[in-house]
Amino acid sequence: MIPQPRHKDKRRRGVILTPQGFQKLQTAKSQAELKENCGNRYTLEDMSDRTGLAVNTLMKVYDHEAAVDKKTLKSCFSAFYLTLEPTDYLCVYPQIEKVEVSENTQLEKDIELELPGGQVPLDSPFYVERPPIESECYKTILQPGALIRLQAPRGTGKTSLMTRILHKATKQGYRTVSLSFQLADTEIFQDLEQFLRWFCANVSLGLQLPNQLADYWDECFGSIVSCKMYFEQYLLASIAQPLVLGLDDIDRLCSYPDLASDFFGLLRTWHEEAKNREIWRKLRLVVVDPTEIYISLSANKSPFNVGLPIELPPFTSEQVQDLARRHGLDWSDEEAQQLTDFVGGSPYLVRVGLYHIGRGDVNLQQVWQTSSTTGGIYSNHLQRQLCNLQQQPSLAAAFGEVVRSKAPVELDLVEGFKLQSMELVHLVGDRATVSCQLYAQYFRDRGAWS
């Protein structure tokens, strides 16, 4: 059943601390640290215990740019024996008492829906946090020599999270560079030296530093040592602040195993250097990969068995219900669970569904009734998945076996990882099942596709 048209109360988080309120809270916190904590600063965990608020929420409060609700600020103030006054906070979004939801669930103009696809903008109200992942990443990136590995299938929010990690680092005064390997021409990957020069030049560009490759590249040492010298003696030496380097779509290197092995080994070396040398403590890495790295890497040369591993899980039905509210939909637990089950909690597929339902293009029942048709809301995405499979016959055959089977299917390791990166299967060990009802329904209806 779709929600019936009605007026509903809609509370939107919309206050931040004013400079006066922030200073007031900081002063009270400092006094409490002197009197009650022997002058030692309270950690975020201490603050969480004291206020009863989550660490991630506290980070928003002290960021004093991310909006929270007034009750949150009251909890922070009362924890230090303060009363929240009107001059202590600023309304970012007006509180809307009534929102009209019409018969086809189209919304009034106060809610502007976003067409899903690619990175979720930093200021988007449709980004869904998955505690404690964000707060753990934000704390880790402040550690010298940090390495964070974001691993999950495509469409699960890795790039959006990486962007938020880099944004948080920027607010700490760090320098940040985001680099996607999708930007590299294919011929760049044919030669290690050419690739490493491309890599160094792009980081220089991101830091707005002149390209000085000619001064630091020495053929006597080879490209790997030259790349290390370029970072150590030029890039890191030229900046006073830590550098957070975000590397996206790193799996593209896996099609070039020798190059990938050398480059990944270089990243591991840099991470290990931070344990011994001050200059390398300035470098922090965020590596984004849509699946397991399936090339052979020596254990002591791989960057994928060190640092902080982050696996982004699918959305829960509670998160789907929360996101539905942000789209102006007053869904029951059952409705949220139905969409969650149908798309396997895929963040991208959930957002596509809610976008079209919020616009009034379809209702929830029509989503699963029409999804296998050419006019369904997922048709373009499904056709792309089908096309990708048809270009890789062995992968298509493996997936066809999974689709047709009622039990988990044992797959070749590489094929399993590739299908998982496409979000088509769910892996437990080497055994695969179709990741969601949508894919099972669509591909079973196309029995001859494999």
Side-chain angles (χ1 to χ4, degrees), residues 305-413:
N305 55 9
V306 292
L308 175 67
I310 295 292
E311 294 188 14
L312 293 182
F315 284 166
T316 64
S317 61
E318 291 79 13
Q319 289 168 327
V320 172
Q321 189 173 38
D322 174 53
L323 192 54
R325 292 192 189 101
R326 303 185 204 185
H327 285 75
L329 303 170
D330 187 15
W331 274 12
S332 66
D333 294 346
E334 181 182 2
E335 288 167 320
Q337 189 66 60
Q338 287 173 344
L339 181 60
T340 305
D341 292 342
F342 186 62
V343 299
S346 161
Y348 171 70
L349 297 178
V350 165
R351 286 201 61 203
V352 170
L354 292 177
Y355 171 79
H356 286 284
I357 295 171
R359 277 171 42 94
D361 300 331
V362 291
N363 60 39
L364 182 57
Q365 186 176 15
Q366 290 169 332
V367 167
W368 59 72
Q369 287 179 339
T370 63
S371 289
S372 291
T373 67
T374 55
I377 63 172
Y378 296 114
S379 60
N380 289 338
H381 173 75
L382 292 169
Q383 288 167 13
R384 285 194 298 270
Q385 293 282 50
L386 178 59
C387 182
N388 288 335
L389 283 170
Q390 289 174 334
Q391 292 174 2
Q392 304 176 76
S394 64
L395 203 60
F399 184 56
E401 186 179 354
V402 177
V403 169
R404 291 187 293 269
S405 176
K406 294 182 180 180
V409 174
E410 182 178 351
L411 292 181
D412 170 79
L413 192 62

Side-chain angles (χ1 to χ4, degrees), residues 25-85:
L25 182 59
Q26 283 289 77
T27 299
K29 176 174 172 285
S30 297
Q31 291 174 348
E33 288 167 343
L34 286 171
K35 294 179 181 178
E36 304 172 18
N37 204 37
C38 301
N40 298 317
R41 295 185 64 180
Y42 287 122
T43 65
L44 283 172
E45 288 75 13
D46 294 334
M47 292 288 292
S48 179
D49 292 339
R50 188 176 183 116
T51 62
L53 299 172
V55 167
N56 194 53
T57 301
L58 286 166
M59 293 178 75
K60 290 181 179 180
V61 171
Y62 282 92
D63 181 59
H64 62 98
E65 286 189 8
V68 297
D69 57 27
K70 195 184 300 183
K71 183 179 178 182
T72 295
L73 295 187
K74 285 182 177 179
S75 297
C76 288
F77 273 56
S78 62
F80 295 102
Y81 320 111
L82 298 173
T83 300
L84 183 69
E85 304 290 346

Side-chain angles (χ1 to χ4, degrees), residues 147-184:
L147 170 61
I148 300 175
R149 297 180 284 115
L150 306 181
Q151 182 182 306
R154 298 190 185 279
T156 52
K158 300 179 302 302
T159 301
S160 298
L161 175 56
M162 183 189 77
T163 302
R164 282 158 175 78
I165 296 171
L166 267 60
H167 178 68
K168 186 64 65 173
T170 300
K171 294 182 71 64
Q172 295 291 325
Y174 294 4
R175 303 294 298 274
T176 62
V177 175
S178 176
L179 181 60
S180 170
F181 290 106
Q182 292 292 352
L183 297 174

Side-chain angles (χ1 to χ4, degrees), residues 120-135:
V120 181
L122 280 171
D123 60 351
S124 171
F126 302 108
Y127 178 79
V128 177
E129 293 190 344
R130 283 168 272 194
I133 287 175
E134 282 80 5
S135 60

Side-chain angles (χ1 to χ4, degrees), residues 147-264:
L147 170 61
I148 300 175
R149 297 180 284 115
L150 306 181
Q151 182 182 306
R154 298 190 185 279
T156 52
K158 300 179 302 302
T159 301
S160 298
L161 175 56
M162 183 189 77
T163 302
R164 282 158 175 78
I165 296 171
L166 267 60
H167 178 68
K168 186 64 65 173
T170 300
K171 294 182 71 64
Q172 295 291 325
Y174 294 4
R175 303 294 298 274
T176 62
V177 175
S178 176
L179 181 60
S180 170
F181 290 106
Q182 292 292 352
L183 297 174
D185 296 337
T186 301
E187 55 266 23
I188 293 291
F189 298 102
Q190 307 300 323
D191 178 76
L192 178 64
E193 178 167 353
Q194 187 179 13
F195 170 78
L196 292 178
R197 291 174 68 91
W198 174 89
F199 175 66
C200 289
N202 274 273
V203 178
S204 299
L205 182 65
L207 289 171
Q208 297 183 321
L209 292 173
N211 182 333
Q212 299 285 354
L213 286 171
D215 295 334
Y216 291 91
W217 217 264
D218 191 328
E219 63 181 15
C220 293
F221 292 111
S223 56
I224 292 177
V225 173
S226 294
C227 179
K228 181 175 180 289
M229 289 167 54
Y230 191 78
F231 266 77
E232 179 179 316
Q233 298 178 18
Y234 177 50
L235 296 181
L236 294 177
S238 297
I239 57 176
Q241 313 91 334
L243 167 62
V244 180
L245 182 57
L247 304 178
D248 203 354
D249 298 303
I250 202 167
D251 64 305
R252 191 177 178 198
L253 276 65
C254 290
S255 298
Y256 311 91
D258 291 339
L259 181 146
S261 179
D262 288 335
F263 181 66
F264 294 153

